[in-house]
Amino acid sequence: MSEDNHPYVGIWITKDRRIRHELLPNGRYVEARGTIEAAYKGNYQITGNYIAYKDDTGFTADGEFHNNILYHAGMVLYRD
């Protein structure tokens, strides 16, 4: 399934709303942290419930979706 119509596309946020991941339909993401709206930007790829991130500086990270919750790098993000 392409990211264009993937069910995980959209905005994911921590409970305190401090960290926000916007998964764009074109396979790009923008991560906001606090008042910094584009703290990180890069590409992502989803395979099943697994997401792999590669930011524009080359840093990589990953996460998993379970029960409509995104677990990423010690963070728990919920669909906004």
Side-chain angles (χ1 to χ4, degrees):
M1 175 180 285
S2 77
E3 278 80 14
D4 288 341
N5 56 5
H6 198 284
Y8 295 140
V9 167
I11 298 175
W12 297 82
I13 59 169
T14 55
K15 241 180 200 175
D16 63 5
R17 303 188 71 83
R18 185 179 177 291
I19 298 174
R20 299 169 305 283
H21 287 195
E22 183 175 6
L23 303 180
L24 302 168
N26 63 357
R28 298 276 298 163
Y29 76 91
V30 178
E31 179 177 320
R33 288 185 172 243
T35 60
I36 303 170
E37 287 301 319
Y40 300 98
K41 294 188 274 188
N43 296 311
Y44 72 89
Q45 183 173 3
I46 297 172
T47 305
N49 290 327
Y50 175 81
I51 184 169
Y53 296 88
K54 184 173 184 182
D55 80 13
D56 290 342
T57 68
F59 179 78
T60 60
D62 61 0
E64 287 195 62
F65 297 92
H66 290 288
N67 298 321
N68 213 28
I69 298 171
L70 171 56
Y71 297 90
H72 164 69
M75 294 180 279
V76 178
L77 295 102
Y78 304 88
R79 184 175 292 283
D80 190 30

